[in-house]
């Protein structure tokens, strides 16, 4: 019976975690939508994330400190009231969510994001506290080659063979 309770508790934790991750994914997707709607033609080099784990609030800003999206993560507030370490947990689940958004949904391959690109946790006066995600130029190139420049290497080799065919 005790092992069944342990399994149920683990399953409930996993459900809570997935709910939190889904909320975080929605917040980041909303932030990207707001950036793409702004249509000012600039590239964003960073997203700044402010968290208040006591109230459960998360806010996402661009590199000009413009608020893009916010929400409440009730699990963070609950963990805080139980005396658990909510900041460590919040940072971890943010990192897991960003990794999933970058790898699975390719959210940060959007042309609105320049390279290098960073997502960082910042304090209330926007001083960086922890970097959650950093994408450099080579990451962008690798990601974009698969979609935008498919077979470019092959086509370039064929082009050189045609041009320099008589120089052999």
């Amino acid at each position: 019976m005790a092992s069944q309770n342990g399994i149920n508790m683990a399953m409930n934790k996993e459900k809570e975690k997935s709910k939190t991750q889904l909320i975080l994914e929605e917040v980041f997707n909303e932030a990207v939508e707001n950036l793409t709607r702004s249509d000012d033609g600039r590239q964003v080099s960073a997203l700044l994330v402010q968290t208040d784990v006591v109230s459960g609030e998360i806010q996402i800003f661009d590199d000009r400190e413009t608020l893009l999206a916010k929400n409440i993560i009730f699990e963070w507030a609950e963990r805080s009231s139980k005396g658990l370490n909510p900041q460590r947990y919040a940072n971890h689940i943010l990192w897991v969510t960003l990794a999933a958004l970058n790898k699975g949904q390719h959210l940060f391959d959007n042309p609105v994001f320049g390279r290098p690109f960073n997502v960082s946790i910042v304090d209330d006066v926007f001083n960086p506290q922890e970097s959650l995600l950093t994408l450099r130029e080579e990451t962008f190139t690798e990601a974009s080659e698969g979609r935008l420049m498919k077979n470019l290497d092959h086509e370039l080799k064929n082009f050189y063979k045609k041009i320099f065919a008589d120089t052999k």
Side-chain angles (χ1 to χ4, degrees):
M1 186 68 167
S3 65
Q4 184 63 35
N5 286 338
I7 293 171
N8 288 341
M9 287 176 56
M11 288 175 60
N12 288 338
K13 285 288 183 196
E14 211 45 48
K15 286 179 186 176
E16 287 177 23
K17 192 178 202 181
S18 63
K19 286 179 194 175
T20 300
Q21 191 168 346
L22 287 172
I23 293 168
L24 289 171
E25 287 178 3
E26 288 176 11
V27 172
F28 278 98
N29 279 310
E30 179 184 346
V32 172
E33 282 180 32
N34 287 335
L35 278 172
T36 55
R37 265 191 253 139
S38 70
D39 198 27
D40 61 2
R42 74 180 184 94
Q43 286 193 324
V44 175
S45 63
L47 289 180
L48 310 173
V49 179
Q50 285 182 347
T51 58
D52 180 352
V53 293
V54 174
S55 68
E57 186 173 43
I58 180 172
Q59 299 181 83
I60 302 174
F61 298 84
D62 66 8
D63 51 7
R64 291 184 182 174
E65 300 175 5
T66 304
L67 180 64
L68 300 171
K70 66 180 182 175
N71 206 333
I72 302 291
I73 309 294
F74 292 105
E75 182 185 6
W76 294 352
E78 290 169 7
R79 288 178 80 83
S80 181
S81 68
K82 292 178 184 175
L84 301 172
N85 189 335
Q87 189 64 58
R88 180 178 292 165
Y89 176 75
N91 292 358
H92 174 74
I93 196 70
L94 277 164
W95 181 83
V96 168
T97 302
L98 288 169
L101 288 171
N102 185 44
K103 297 238 186 248
Q105 296 182 20
H106 302 285
L107 184 67
F108 303 111
D109 289 347
N110 190 310
V112 75
F113 297 116
R115 294 298 188 267
F117 172 73
N118 296 301
V119 179
S120 299
I121 295 177
V122 295
D123 63 13
D124 56 349
V125 290
F126 296 97
N127 292 323
Q129 301 297 307
E130 184 176 343
S131 179
L132 295 170
L133 176 73
T134 300
L135 301 174
R136 290 179 175 56
E137 191 66 41
E138 53 279 357
T139 308
F140 177 70
T141 304
E142 290 170 8
S144 65
E145 281 177 356
R147 291 189 329 268
L148 301 176
M149 297 180 247
K150 194 171 188 170
N151 298 324
L152 179 64
D153 189 43
H154 177 69
E155 290 176 21
L156 189 58
K157 285 178 183 176
N158 286 340
F159 175 74
Y160 284 137
K161 284 180 185 176
K162 288 178 186 176
I163 290 178
F164 300 114
D166 44 325
T167 60
K168 286 185 177 181

